[in-house]
Amino acid sequence: MMLLKTSLRSFLAHKGRMALSLIAVVLSVAFVSGTLVFSNTATGTFDKLFAATSSDVSVQPPKPAEDEEQQAAVKPPTVPVALERQVAALPGVKSAVGQVLVENAVMINPATNKLVGPTTGAPTLLGNWTDTPGNPLKVTSGHTPRGPTELLLDADTVKKAKLALGDTLRVENPLGRHDFTIVGIGTFTTTNPGAALGFLDTPTAQQALLGGPAFSTVEAYGDGSRGDDRLKADALAQLGGGYQVKTAAEQKADRSEQVGKGLGFMKYAMLGFAFVSAIVGAFLIVNTFSMLVAQRTREIGLLRAIGGSRRQVNRSVLVEALILGVLGSTLGVAAGLGVAVGLIKLMTAIGMDLEAADLQIGPDVFVAGYALGIVVTLVAAWFPARRASRISPMAALRDHGTPAEARANLVRTGLGLLLTAGGGAVLVLGAGAEKAATGGRYLGLGVVLTLIGFVVLGPLLASAVVRVLGALLPALFGPSGRLAQRNAMRNPRRTGATAAALMIGLALVIASAVFSSSAVTSTSAQIDKSVGADYIVSGGRTAITPEMTDAVRKTPGIDHVTTQRFFAAKVQLPDGQKAKTPLTAVPPSFFGTDFRPTVDSGAVDSLQRGSLGIGAAFAKDHGLKVGDQVTVDYGQGRTQTVPVGAVFGKGELFGDGSFVAMDTMEKVVPAAEQPPVWTFFAKASPGADVDRTLTALEDGLKEYPQLTIKDRAGYKELAQSQINTLLYLIYGLVALSITVAVLGVVNTLALSVVERTREIGLLRAIGLSRRQLRRMIRLESVVIAVFGAVLGTGLGLGWGVTAQRVLRDQGLGTLSVPTVTVAVTLVASVLIGLFAALVPAFRAGRMNVLAAIATD
């Protein structure tokens, strides 16, 4: 009890000095708890929707084989109409309803020629209106669809698209184009996660969306006499036909898994960066407690002299850390609610409608928040606590400072050099690895080892690097510059820990910048080298129809159009083994004028004579060479024996897939079984103005707003924008760790000013002006920040270059170091140093000289 009182009094006595460490804990915990609350809320919203719309038992078509999934995107799998009566006749079934529901259609407003519904994220769903407990909408305006030209639309989509009852809506899918009039508006009975829903009457939905009498599924609702599992067992026993039968719980689990995959990347990425910020915050806490222990050396010595044991001193410091961790975690969990609300608003802005009023705060939020805050704080404080417990009473009473630990420094130096050298060697191995998977593992290990090595070596590097960085300060700023340089070098351990926090954030920035710059440069180089087509047209979520390609062919200035069809094929090798490969069937113009691949062996022309083209990695992995006979399995029992005619070079724009000529594929795969076209290419006629033809192409395809039309320059910009989107997300997340690192610099300087109160008073007494004093502290801050930036830049360049080398055969063939980003980072570090020094310098300048000199 006495120990707790002593620790609490000490904590309250130094609460101002603990403030920034507290903020670091709060920020890290807030990000973790906010991410978990957001994830729980999003998952809970979907769970409510799934629970409200799931039937007791759903009878679905047989699961399509892997090679049928592409075809299913054009013609969704169905069940026969007669199945509805069969399910309704099962024991325990109160009612059975045939449902039509597809995702392969788009809705267009003819008045504006714009898409209606989300273009990213949530889907656009069209189906038949059924009056069942599982219907997610209730009619709030107009009436349900009753004829072949009527459609009911959800209220959220109506509002976003500025539509009203009586407006015309066009629906396009692979089966054709259909015009409908909005006769009803329905409101979601649960929270709408952002989807657009349109409903037709059943006969119209069957014909327009499925191509004839059929259902997507049959939904059964029990009479209460039997459980869902029993209903499922009866359905499986009596229906036959290989149908999938799923209970309400299984339907919910399947849908939740699909949603989880979409949210999972964002969730774990944010938690990862929160963990990084927690590590950065640990350096701040280490510095805080190290300096507090140093300032309380005499106090600790007195405590030891009157009978306090090493264990009691150790526990006293750790109890203070525990108080800090508990308080920071509590505030962090509360602040996490604000983070969650912000994330919900962000997702709402991009199309996922979530309600901030429905925040789901589960036990995992508190467990993760308190575990992170308390564990990180206690681990960070353990090192200063251990040093405090080793202070002998007499040494503490004689010397107002922490004893030197020469042997510990020697061990630190050896360990740091070993880790750094080992990490560097592992990065070199990763850069030289032939397989990306092997190189990726080496890269991960190398990042960890070099990071830890630089952190351990921080004090040694501080003495050497700060001496070089601060060499010009005496000449430029006189006494203030000399004092700033020496102050930064006075306590290398403290300087190293402070700079390490900033180093981590900036290393991530530089590594990400190198990766993204290399990706953009490599993509542009590949397009310039390999692409001869002038225009790329993509359907996005929807397949390309013959009408779209015909419109392109009729455009003035277009020479020809090149389509391609993708198969999830299998290749039987000469030894009888089978290997999966993405297979693309292409016309003669694909490898003639539209694309110019690098060929390791064989000839591209051989494809037109019935051969197969394969990637170098596929050839090496399976021991294939030009002339080998292989059997291609296109799926659905369609096979063909062809020779290997060409092996493409590594790192090509086409990846490591395989290619056959379109007419070769058509010999064994009927047109009805061929997969859809998702993207096609067009070539301008010789002598045609490319820009003017692009304008004509866009005009000719205006009635198809679902299409994305790009020339080569536009395609480069699209690739760059996609990469930059990811890069900006990383920058935004890294900003959290950099913010914590800046707090660390502020904290170090603030505590350093308190520690040097008497020294500052003496300097002022012998003539140092307030301006010179503030300049000294600002320069010291700048030196520490630049030191961290230099280390971070070195680490980031090493990581980024290695990542590029690891992925050199996956399209990242060109290394590009963004010198502007590096320069901006170094300049930003100077500004960070100046900003961090504002408050400490101001407080130092306001010190009373006589009071400072009298301080013990």
Side-chain angles (χ1 to χ4, degrees):
M1 191 65 185
M2 181 62 69
L3 180 65
L4 178 60
K5 288 182 178 179
T6 303
S7 300
L8 188 58
R9 287 175 181 173
S10 178
F11 181 87
L12 294 175
H14 301 98
K15 57 182 179 295
R17 305 179 194 182
M18 295 283 195
L20 294 180
S21 293
L22 180 67
I23 293 174
V25 176
V26 170
L27 287 176
S28 300
V29 173
F31 215 62
V32 169
S33 59
T35 299
L36 292 177
V37 170
F38 164 74
S39 177
N40 292 345
T41 302
T43 303
T45 297
F46 283 102
D47 285 346
K48 289 178 183 177
L49 176 63
F50 299 152
T53 58
S54 295
S55 60
D56 294 331
V57 170
S58 175
V59 182
Q60 304 172 5
K63 187 175 182 180
E66 184 179 357
D67 51 27
E68 297 174 341
E69 290 180 356
Q70 288 272 11
Q71 190 67 26
V74 175
K75 188 177 180 182
T78 60
V79 298
V81 171
L83 191 68
E84 182 181 26
R85 293 191 300 274
Q86 290 179 264
V87 174
L90 291 173
V93 173
K94 180 179 180 181
S95 64
V97 179
Q99 185 178 72
V100 176
L101 195 66
V102 300
E103 295 185 35
N104 66 340
V106 294
M107 295 186 291
I108 300 170
N109 183 354
T112 61
N113 211 41
K114 291 183 178 181
L115 288 176
V116 173
T119 55
T120 59
T124 294
L125 303 172
L126 280 100
N128 63 324
W129 178 263
T130 58
D131 190 12
T132 65
N135 197 313
L137 300 181
K138 66 176 181 179
V139 180
T140 51
S141 296
H143 58 81
T144 59
R146 299 168 184 166
T149 61
E150 297 185 347
L151 177 142
L152 182 145
L153 195 60
D154 72 273
D156 294 338
T157 302
V158 167
K159 181 179 179 181
K160 291 175 183 176
K162 299 180 180 179
L163 296 168
L165 291 175
D167 287 347
T168 300
L169 205 61
R170 189 165 76 233
V171 172
E172 289 193 13
N173 66 357
L175 297 176
R177 175 182 297 183
H178 319 274
D179 290 325
F180 298 98
T181 300
I182 300 174
V183 298
I185 298 174
T187 301
F188 273 84
T189 55
T190 62
T191 301
N192 175 18
L197 267 67
F199 291 98
L200 316 172
D201 68 3
T202 296
T204 304
Q206 290 175 321
Q207 188 62 41
L209 304 179
L210 300 180
F215 291 119
S216 301
T217 62
V218 173
E219 307 299 327
Y221 299 89
D223 59 12
S225 63
R226 300 182 181 220
D228 291 355
D229 291 331
R230 179 67 184 278
L231 288 175
K232 174 182 176 179
D234 290 345
L236 288 172
Q238 298 186 34
L239 296 180
Y243 298 114
Q244 300 181 81
V245 181
K246 296 183 179 181
T247 63
E250 290 171 334
Q251 295 172 56
K252 179 182 174 183
D254 286 348
R255 295 171 180 174
S256 297
E257 183 181 0
Q258 294 173 2
V259 172
K261 289 178 181 178
L263 295 174
F265 172 77
M266 179 178 179
K267 174 183 176 180
Y268 291 115
M270 294 174 65
L271 289 177
F273 281 98
F275 180 69
V276 170
S277 72
I279 294 176
V280 172
F283 288 105
L284 194 162
I285 295 167
V286 168
N287 265 1
T288 299
F289 280 94
S290 294
M291 297 177 77
L292 289 175
V293 167
Q295 293 167 19
R296 291 159 49 194
T297 301
R298 188 179 296 276
E299 175 188 325
I300 292 171
L302 287 171
L303 182 62
R304 291 293 311 282
I306 62 174
S309 66
R310 285 187 174 183
R311 179 175 294 181
Q312 286 176 315
V313 171
N314 193 325
R315 287 182 177 177
S316 175
V317 176
L318 289 179
V319 169
E320 288 184 52
L322 179 62
I323 295 170
L324 176 68
V326 171
L327 181 58
S329 299
T330 302
L331 295 176
V333 170
L337 300 181
V339 173
V341 171
L343 291 172
I344 287 172
K345 289 184 177 179
L346 175 63
M347 296 305 291
T348 300
I350 62 176
M352 180 185 286
D353 293 336
L354 300 174
E355 294 291 338
D358 295 334
L359 290 181
Q360 303 290 316
I361 308 171
D364 59 329
V365 175
F366 296 96
V367 171
Y370 279 96
L372 177 71
I374 294 173
V375 170
V376 167
T377 306
L378 288 177
V379 170
W382 182 82
F383 298 98
R386 180 172 173 269
R387 285 198 296 271
S389 68
R390 297 175 65 182
I391 298 175
S392 67
M394 296 309 296
L397 293 174
R398 280 198 311 266
D399 180 26
H400 187 72
T402 305
E405 299 182 32
R407 185 171 179 275
N409 289 337
L410 185 62
V411 172
R412 170 190 286 267
T413 300
L415 180 61
L417 289 173
L418 180 63
L419 288 170
T420 303
V426 172
L427 289 177
V428 171
L429 288 174
E434 291 190 7
K435 292 187 176 181
T438 303
R441 288 191 288 269
Y442 281 132
L443 173 62
L445 179 60
V447 166
V448 173
L449 291 178
T450 51
L451 177 59
I452 297 175
F454 266 59
V455 170
V456 174
L457 278 178
L460 177 65
L461 295 173
S463 300
V465 178
V466 170
R467 187 184 301 277
V468 175
L469 292 176
L472 293 177
L473 294 183
L476 294 176
F477 301 101
S480 297
R482 185 176 300 279
L483 288 170
Q485 181 193 29
R486 292 182 177 179
N487 285 335
M489 294 170 55
R490 175 188 293 184
N491 192 329
R493 175 176 290 171
R494 180 191 306 164
T495 299
T498 305
L502 192 59
M503 173 190 74
I504 295 173
L506 295 181
L508 290 172
V509 169
I510 296 296
S512 301
V514 171
F515 175 83
S516 64
S517 179
S518 298
V520 170
T521 303
S522 298
T523 302
S524 297
Q526 282 282 9
I527 291 173
D528 291 337
K529 171 189 170 185
S530 304
V531 179
D534 295 304
Y535 312 105
I536 300 97
V537 183
S538 172
R541 293 179 176 179
T542 58
I544 302 297
T545 63
E547 291 78 15
M548 297 173 184
T549 54
D550 288 343
V552 175
R553 289 190 179 97
K554 295 175 183 177
T555 301
I558 293 295
D559 181 72
H560 66 266
V561 171
T562 301
T563 58
Q564 53 184 354
R565 297 184 185 275
F566 298 99
F567 292 83
K570 294 178 183 177
V571 174
Q572 183 172 327
L573 308 172
D575 62 2
Q577 299 291 321
K578 288 189 176 182
K580 294 180 180 180
T581 179
L583 178 67
T584 307
V586 296
S589 59
F590 188 87
F591 286 134
T593 58
D594 293 344
F595 289 90
R596 301 178 293 272
T598 301
V599 179
D600 283 353
S601 59
V604 172
D605 294 344
S606 66
L607 268 68
Q608 303 311 318
R609 297 190 295 273
S611 69
L612 176 73
I614 59 176
F618 186 80
K620 182 178 180 180
D621 291 344
H622 301 289
L624 293 174
K625 61 184 183 301
V626 172
D628 287 346
Q629 295 286 325
V630 297
T631 300
V632 178
D633 184 352
Y634 295 96
Q636 302 184 61
R638 308 294 182 178
T639 61
Q640 185 178 47
T641 301
V642 295
V644 175
V647 177
F648 301 117
K650 288 184 177 181
E652 284 294 308
L653 194 64
F654 336 101
D656 195 42
S658 301
F659 291 85
V660 294
M662 192 78 76
D663 56 359
T664 302
M665 176 271 296
E666 290 172 346
K667 291 178 181 178
V668 294
V669 183
E673 296 180 11
Q674 293 176 14
V677 174
W678 298 99
T679 302
F680 66 97
F681 310 92
K683 179 75 174 176
S685 303
D689 186 288
V690 177
D691 293 335
R692 186 175 299 172
T693 304
L694 175 62
T695 302
L697 191 60
E698 291 171 339
D699 290 340
L701 294 175
K702 272 186 178 179
E703 59 180 313
Y704 304 107
Q706 65 268 43
L707 297 180
T708 300
I709 307 154
K710 298 289 182 183
D711 59 6
R712 274 182 286 183
Y715 193 70
K716 290 179 184 179
E717 292 175 0
L718 178 63
Q720 183 172 352
S721 67
Q722 292 172 342
I723 294 169
N724 286 343
T725 299
L726 177 62
L727 181 65
Y728 295 149
L729 173 63
I730 293 173
Y731 283 172
L733 295 173
V734 170
L736 176 67
S737 63
I738 293 178
T739 300
V740 176
V742 172
L743 294 177
V745 179
V746 175
N747 197 51
T748 297
L749 291 173
L751 292 177
S752 179
V753 167
V754 174
E755 186 180 78
R756 289 156 27 201
T757 298
R758 182 181 176 83
E759 176 187 318
I760 290 172
L762 290 172
L763 288 172
R764 292 278 287 114
I766 62 175
L768 192 71
S769 68
R770 287 185 176 180
R771 175 178 293 181
Q772 288 175 314
L773 176 62
R774 289 195 293 266
R775 181 183 296 165
M776 176 190 76
I777 294 172
R778 286 197 298 268
L779 292 175
E780 180 182 351
S781 177
V782 168
V783 168
I784 294 173
V786 173
F787 171 52
V790 169
L791 296 186
T793 299
L795 268 184
L797 288 174
W799 298 347
V801 170
T802 303
Q804 182 272 325
R805 296 302 301 161
V806 167
L807 297 172
R808 62 190 180 279
D809 293 335
Q810 275 63 47
L812 228 69
T814 305
L815 174 65
S816 176
V817 178
T819 52
V820 173
T821 302
V822 174
V824 168
T825 300
L826 293 174
V827 172
S829 67
V830 175
L831 298 177
I832 286 172
L834 291 173
F835 174 78
L838 287 177
V839 174
F842 178 75
R843 291 184 61 187
R846 294 187 62 189
M847 279 187 185
N848 182 283
V849 176
L850 294 178
I853 294 174
T855 300
D856 186 11

